[in-house]
Amino acid sequence: MANFKKKQAGSKQEIPTSAMPDVVFMLLFFFMVTTVLREVTLKVRVDLTQAGNIEKIEEKRLVSYIYIGPERLPGNRLGEDKVQIDDSIQPDIGAIRTIMYDKLLEEPRMIVSLRVDKDSEFGLLTDVQEELKQASAFRINYSTKNEN
Amino acid sequence: MLLKKRKREDATINGSSMADIAFLLLIFFLVTTTINVDTGIGLVLPPPLDPTQEPPPIRERNLMKILVSAEGQILMDEELVQLSEVKEKLKTFIKNPDNLETLPISPQAAVVSIKTVRETPYRIYIDMLDEVMGTYRELRNEVARANYGRDYASLNDEQEEAVNDIYPKKISIAEPDKD
């Protein structure tokens, strides 16, 4: 019997997968960099109000947040309006000045985003704003949801 | 040496599972990522006033005083108005189309002052500020379309500057009176 040789393609038909991990790692790094894992635990209720004429803050690194709203108490109750910076409630409004000034030294282009509960009164906010002025943190942003 | 050394296996690490590991991590970060953009009304606060110094005088005709009460009633230059009327009134104030004596000399001189009481809810204050911002946005859009045929948002920096010079946003947030 003659030898029947199976016909084979000259080249191997394989997609080289050696570069796949590189591609995936690149994507991975992108998402690792963009992810903000640590969110602040809110000790005050912040239910944002809505507005139509708003702008986006593109550079999130510049933003530092101040939360103003009624304090969350155990048992789903709400207390007095309080100011929260980072993870703690600031009992002393006058202390905001030094805190924000220190932050401003770290990032001179800082934008202070004020996340204020919609039912809070303006009085506390104006006290905070006065402190911000004293700390020369002039760029602020009233955080709101989009109306449309 | 008689014993021939056994031929070593190739000392390579099998890299095919690397992709799987990377994928796993990738999926984790994909799920945890929230690409949310912060939106809000931007404002630049004025520097603190020197208590020994008198604030610079603003001529009465250049100033639009908006007072907001705790109940959300709006007074514009001592006149009670509805929130929906604010835009229209502000536009006539800023542009002064009839060159009235009581309205600003030029749009550049116009200053909008928003004053509330301490008890005003934040929501009402933002609504008010939103209206003022909206007025300026519409005015700037008007100029941008007339001069460059495009919306204000799509102008380049130089053009933006030029439009800003025509309608500078002069908003003053007055401190509520201490009671």
Side-chain angles (χ1 to χ4, degrees):
Chain A
M1 281 291 270
N3 256 344
F4 288 103
K5 248 192 181 171
K6 247 189 192 168
K7 264 189 186 171
Q8 267 188 332
S11 60
K12 280 186 181 173
Q13 293 197 336
E14 263 175 38
I15 303 169
T17 52
S18 56
M20 179 124 96
D22 301 351
V23 175
V24 175
F25 266 119
M26 221 152 78
L27 278 168
L28 177 63
F29 285 137
F30 169 73
F31 280 102
M32 278 179 80
V33 169
T34 51
T35 302
V36 185
L37 271 184
R38 188 176 163 280
E39 287 260 314
V40 183
T41 28
L42 279 176
K43 295 203 168 78
V44 296
R45 187 197 71 178
V46 172
D47 193 355
L48 293 174
T49 181
Q50 297 184 329
N53 304 289
I54 53 180
E55 51 196 60
K56 284 177 189 163
I57 306 178
E58 301 289 354
E59 288 180 90
K60 268 199 143 179
R61 282 177 300 113
L62 303 182
V63 181
S64 66
Y65 295 97
I66 295 181
Y67 305 89
I68 301 173
E71 188 181 2
R72 284 175 207 249
L73 298 174
N76 234 345
R77 286 172 302 129
L78 294 171
E80 292 266 296
D81 279 4
K82 290 277 163 61
V83 181
Q84 183 188 346
I85 297 175
D86 292 338
D87 264 341
S88 59
I89 282 176
Q90 297 296 328
D92 179 19
I93 300 290
I96 295 172
R97 189 178 308 186
T98 36
I99 296 170
M100 294 326 279
Y101 187 68
D102 287 346
K103 287 193 178 190
L104 191 74
L105 288 182
E106 274 171 39
E107 177 55 70
R109 292 182 299 153
M110 179 178 74
I111 303 169
V112 180
S113 179
L114 293 160
R115 297 176 81 89
V116 186
D117 189 77
K118 59 183 178 190
D119 293 324
S120 290
E121 288 181 356
F122 185 72
L124 187 59
L125 176 67
T126 195
D127 293 342
V128 172
Q129 278 181 189
E130 199 51 44
E131 289 301 311
L132 289 178
K133 281 184 201 170
Q134 296 294 339
S136 41
F138 297 131
R139 285 176 77 188
I140 61 165
N141 186 291
Y142 296 115
S143 207
T144 54
K145 283 186 279 194
N146 199 339
E147 210 164 46
N148 314 312
Chain B
M1 289 282 265
L2 285 168
L3 273 173
K4 218 182 174 184
K5 253 193 184 169
R6 254 237 238 103
K7 205 188 170 194
R8 280 220 197 122
E9 277 179 45
D10 271 346
T12 48
I13 301 168
N14 192 357
S16 58
S17 58
M18 178 110 97
D20 302 350
I21 297 167
F23 262 123
L24 219 73
L25 279 166
L26 176 64
I27 289 165
F28 168 72
F29 280 101
L30 262 170
V31 170
T32 50
T33 304
T34 45
I35 304 183
N36 53 347
V37 196
D38 265 9
T39 52
I41 299 177
L43 209 67
V44 179
L45 294 173
L49 276 180
D50 192 350
T52 54
Q53 233 170 0
E54 280 285 300
I58 300 170
R59 281 164 73 181
E60 189 60 36
R61 63 179 286 194
N62 291 337
L63 186 67
M64 166 63 89
K65 280 186 198 152
I66 302 176
L67 286 166
V68 189
S69 77
E71 290 80 36
Q73 289 160 314
I74 300 158
L75 276 180
M76 288 176 85
D77 275 346
E78 276 96 49
E79 198 184 322
L80 197 65
V81 290
Q82 298 295 316
L83 189 66
S84 50
E85 299 171 63
V86 169
K87 256 188 196 166
E88 222 30 65
K89 289 208 72 142
L90 263 182
K91 270 189 195 168
T92 36
F93 165 76
I94 294 164
K95 286 165 104 175
N96 193 5
D98 305 321
N99 282 317
L100 293 175
E101 277 291 298
T102 49
L103 295 181
I105 306 165
S106 64
Q108 288 81 28
V111 176
V112 182
S113 156
I114 302 174
K115 191 172 183 176
T116 61
V117 290
R118 288 189 73 89
E119 288 75 32
T120 306
Y122 179 67
R123 181 167 23 93
I124 291 168
Y125 164 68
I126 285 295
D127 283 346
M128 191 61 241
L129 199 62
D130 192 21
E131 288 298 312
V132 179
M133 292 290 177
T135 314
Y136 271 105
R137 196 177 65 166
E138 281 174 26
L139 286 174
R140 284 178 176 183
N141 262 339
E142 251 173 55
V143 176
R145 278 211 206 95
N147 292 3
Y148 309 107
R150 271 183 294 165
D151 270 353
Y152 177 73
S154 56
L155 294 181
N156 63 34
D157 286 352
E158 202 179 304
Q159 293 166 332
E160 210 169 277
E161 196 97 333
V163 176
N164 288 359
D165 282 342
I166 299 172
Y167 287 121
K169 212 184 264 177
K170 287 186 184 166
I171 300 168
S172 127
I173 309 295
E175 257 181 89
D177 295 323
K178 296 266 188 297
D179 33 32

